[in-house]
Amino acid sequence: MRDEKGLAIGELSRRTGVNIETIRYFERVGIVATPPRTSGGRRVYGAGHVRVLGFIRGARELGFTPAEVRAILSLGGPAQASCSEVREIAAHHLERVRAKMADLAQLESLLATTIDRCEGDGAASCAVIELLDQYTTT
Amino acid sequence: MRDEKGLAIGELSRRTGVNIETIRYFERVGIVATPPRTSGGRRVYGAGHVRVLGFIRGARELGFTPAEVRAILSLGGPAQASCSEVREIAAHHLERVRAKMADLAQLESLLATTIDRCEGDGAASCAVIELLDQYTTT
DNA sequence: AATGCCTCCTGTAGCGGCTACAGGAGCAAG
DNA sequence: CTTGCTCCTGTAGCCGCTACAGGAGGCATT
């Protein structure tokens, strides 16, 4: 299957960096459209699929949730979605990123402080174990 | 099962904030020890289980991975693990937290910049879609 | 003792987002 | 035709839980 007009799934996978099995999974759950087949039953992909799969990969790598990716795709995907709607989804994602950063900053501070107080085996108690032990009675 | 000497699983769950089903799961996968039973077949838990489950919950809530939790437990858990070893695991976790923070800071910056450049539907192109579209050809 | 209600038991399946594999068919080159 | 590679479908699995069905145990009340 080396037709100029379409790609086999392996070639699509190499082009987009998305796993063959993941591509089939995406088709099965409706994230990407079902492609036409050869008479032998093999899938034939075109430029639209190349674009959409690359887009999905980019969004996932930037931390957009699968639900957000689906939402953008249901707006028409990269070719048709309205900019203001995509921008709104991205802004929401940015809020989540900022909230996670704030959580991690708190956690980092707590861990660093506790580890600093930890004196190792010679001490009568262990600051890290004490920290983790706090939940013993709720 | 209201014996002074032991707790039933429901009471253990209320005491530790760990789900009944999760407690059974932990026993099944070996994270916590199998407790003795009544003649009727009910599990009877003691103070050791209360402590370990609380500890597990604390560690998970602070973001320690299941593998890290298991590592600490295999060192003897909160009652017996050596402080220096637990501290080392915590320090490694702190490194991961810091790395994640750095990743998120980069991502936050990229998203914020891109969203700022996004002018909405009136523009000829969409900065957010362009960003996500970068992966179309690898 | 019987009843009713709550708790606990085992076994199994499911969630999400993929990932992997078995067994067989298709396809192209030599 | 043979060979070697790609692709197909169907199924199961990863992880860390979470949920449920059907039935048994336990306790208080009548």
Side-chain angles (χ1 to χ4, degrees):
Chain A
M1 185 65 240
R2 275 292 188 176
D3 194 345
E4 302 280 14
K5 294 207 176 164
L7 304 172
I9 195 167
E11 187 61 31
L12 180 64
S13 174
R14 283 183 289 275
R15 286 260 186 108
T16 60
V18 181
N19 221 9
I20 288 177
E21 284 150 336
T22 305
I23 296 171
R24 288 204 201 100
Y25 164 72
F26 284 164
E27 179 191 330
R28 193 165 71 248
V29 299
I31 293 181
V32 299
T34 299
R37 302 281 183 119
T38 65
S39 58
R42 294 183 170 211
R43 295 170 172 83
V44 184
Y45 295 99
H49 271 97
V50 174
R51 189 176 186 193
V52 169
L53 283 168
F55 185 87
I56 292 169
R57 184 179 148 220
R60 294 293 289 125
E61 291 193 0
L62 291 182
F64 286 81
T65 66
E68 281 168 335
V69 174
R70 286 173 196 249
I72 296 173
L73 293 179
S74 70
L75 297 172
Q80 291 175 44
S82 84
C83 186
S84 61
E85 283 169 322
V86 173
R87 178 183 164 165
E88 190 175 329
I89 291 170
H92 183 241
H93 176 41
L94 179 58
E95 291 309 309
R96 278 190 304 103
V97 168
R98 284 177 171 152
K100 184 68 183 176
M101 285 169 73
D103 283 349
L104 287 179
Q106 276 196 315
L107 178 57
E108 190 272 349
S109 175
L110 176 61
L111 285 174
T113 301
T114 306
I115 289 168
D116 270 358
R117 281 181 16 235
C118 218
E119 295 172 336
D121 290 329
S125 63
C126 176
V128 175
I129 290 179
E130 281 177 11
L131 171 68
L132 300 180
D133 236 354
Q134 282 180 17
Y135 296 84
T136 297
T137 26
T138 60
Chain B
M1 185 68 239
R2 273 290 188 182
D3 193 347
E4 300 280 13
K5 293 211 179 162
L7 304 173
I9 196 167
E11 186 61 32
L12 181 64
S13 174
R14 283 183 289 276
R15 284 260 186 107
T16 59
V18 181
N19 220 10
I20 288 177
E21 285 151 336
T22 305
I23 296 172
R24 288 204 201 100
Y25 164 72
F26 285 163
E27 178 190 331
R28 194 165 71 246
V29 299
I31 292 181
V32 300
T34 298
R37 302 280 185 120
T38 65
S39 57
R42 295 185 170 211
R43 295 169 173 82
V44 184
Y45 294 100
H49 272 98
V50 174
R51 189 173 184 196
V52 169
L53 282 168
F55 185 86
I56 292 169
R57 183 179 150 220
R60 293 293 290 124
E61 289 193 2
L62 291 182
F64 285 80
T65 65
E68 281 167 336
V69 174
R70 285 170 198 251
I72 296 174
L73 293 179
S74 70
L75 296 173
Q80 291 175 46
S82 83
C83 186
S84 62
E85 283 169 322
V86 173
R87 178 182 166 168
E88 191 175 327
I89 291 171
H92 183 243
H93 176 41
L94 179 58
E95 291 308 310
R96 278 193 301 103
V97 168
R98 285 179 171 150
K100 184 68 184 177
M101 285 169 72
D103 283 349
L104 287 178
Q106 277 196 314
L107 177 57
E108 191 273 348
S109 175
L110 176 61
L111 285 174
T113 301
T114 305
I115 290 168
D116 270 359
R117 283 181 15 235
C118 218
E119 295 170 335
D121 291 329
S125 63
C126 176
V128 175
I129 290 177
E130 280 178 13
L131 172 67
L132 300 179
D133 236 352
Q134 281 180 17
Y135 297 85
T136 297
T137 26
T138 58

